[in-house]
Amino acid sequence: MVMSDEVTVQRVLSGIQPTADSYHLGNYLGAVKQWIDLQNGYDAFYFIPNLHAITVDQDPVELRDRTTAGVAQLLALGIDPEKSTIFVQSQVPQHAELAWVLTCLTGFGEASRMTQFKDKSTKRGADRTSAGLFMYPMLMAADILLYSPQLVPVGEDQRQHLELTRNLAERFNSRFGETFVVPDGFIPEGAAKIYDLQEPTAKMSKSGTNPKGIVNLLDAPKTSAKRIKSAVTDNEGVIRFDRENKPGVSNLLVIQSALTGRPVDEIVADYDAAGAQYGALKTDTAAALEAFTTPLKQRYDEFMADPAELKRILDRGAEKAAAVAEPLVADVYAKMGLLR
Ligand code: AQP
């Protein structure tokens, strides 16, 4: 097997799109928090997939600002550039090169079966759906296969794309010779799925329709406290964990638990003993959030105030990423008979 470099520890790779001014609590508790743990035992590659972001309309100034802000947020949250390779997708051109090769290996019917494309294109309508959105899974496959990671932390919603990635890796290997590592997806331990505060059966999403349902990490504590306090609950008045029948209360319990490190059962038992009402659950959850976001915002502001340092981190990240990606693309091109 041709490996793009010597891998001594297992490699993980994941990305987060620059599609909003701030990441939200779901992005942190469901993804970045685990990335921080993983960087200690793995060769971690984390990137900002800005080429994915343009599969739907983006304002150029906003996209540029959000990309930088995204990097600063990852650093402020605890991704350490000394341990992890942090980079921006558009600064490593091999992503686009491999994406084209993989697109040409993908069947039209196969790509048409991707449920995320079907959902998003149905919502947007054919005239507002780009061909780029259709190619999104093949670009994601390239993002992964370029770095030969053994493990890819993914949310449930990305499982089908990961399966396509595995199929494309196997297809290429069998047609052109062993080249790609076939990666495994995994949901890291402790990853919490966070739901919209106003519609607690839908996932909290940057592109959610009601801003009141989202807790942004960079919002003022007052704004977030207000949102937590107006979160939808139920009329039962009893604090207990029951995703199906009490999605709003359960969501707040999961948020508080993930932020404080206290198990949900313990939090529920304490409320039970105190005969507490939903008001207490909301006040405590808002306080836990404020304790987390206040120092985070300070660290974020410090990184944003030092663009030269951010540039240095990204230049080094892009260089490290390209050092892995380039030999792989060169090998792929050679095997396919493409001059380079
Ligand atoms: N609500 C969530 N709960 C847990 N994890 C979540 N993630 C997103 N929302 C939740 C995880 O965050 C990582 C980065 O996500 P992304 O930016 O690549 O895109 P996404 O999953 O599509 O996130 P959004 O917020 O819903 O963005 P938009 O609205 O732009 O599509 C992923 O690991 C994801 O699982």
Side-chain angles (χ1 to χ4, degrees), residues 105 110 114 145 160-174 182-183:
L105 288 182
E110 192 176 25
M114 294 295 123
L145 297 179
Q160 196 187 21
H161 291 168
L162 191 77
E163 207 41 48
L164 176 74
T165 304
R166 290 168 52 82
N167 290 340
L168 289 173
E170 281 165 0
R171 192 171 305 160
F172 187 97
N173 288 349
S174 78
V182 181

Side-chain angles (χ1 to χ4, degrees), residues 12-18 23 32 35 44-53 67 70-71 74 79 84-92 95 136 139-147 149 152-153 314 317-318 321:
V12 296
L13 171 127
S14 211
I16 180 161
Q17 294 196 65
Y23 292 140
V32 181
W35 298 3
F45 277 57
Y46 299 128
F47 71 107
I48 307 283
N50 56 348
L51 295 174
H52 282 272
T67 303
V71 176
L74 290 183
I79 302 293
S84 300
T85 303
I86 305 175
F87 63 99
V88 173
Q89 188 184 31
S90 61
Q91 295 188 313
V92 185
H95 286 252
Y136 183 113
L139 178 57
M140 179 172 155
D143 299 336
I144 296 170
L145 297 179
L146 274 179
Y147 300 100
V152 183
L314 287 185

Side-chain angles (χ1 to χ4, degrees), residues 57-76:
D57 290 343
Q58 298 292 330
D59 174 79
V61 174
E62 236 172 38
L63 180 62
R64 179 180 282 268
D65 290 349
R66 288 173 172 183
T67 303
T68 316
V71 176
Q73 285 173 83
L74 290 183
L75 297 168

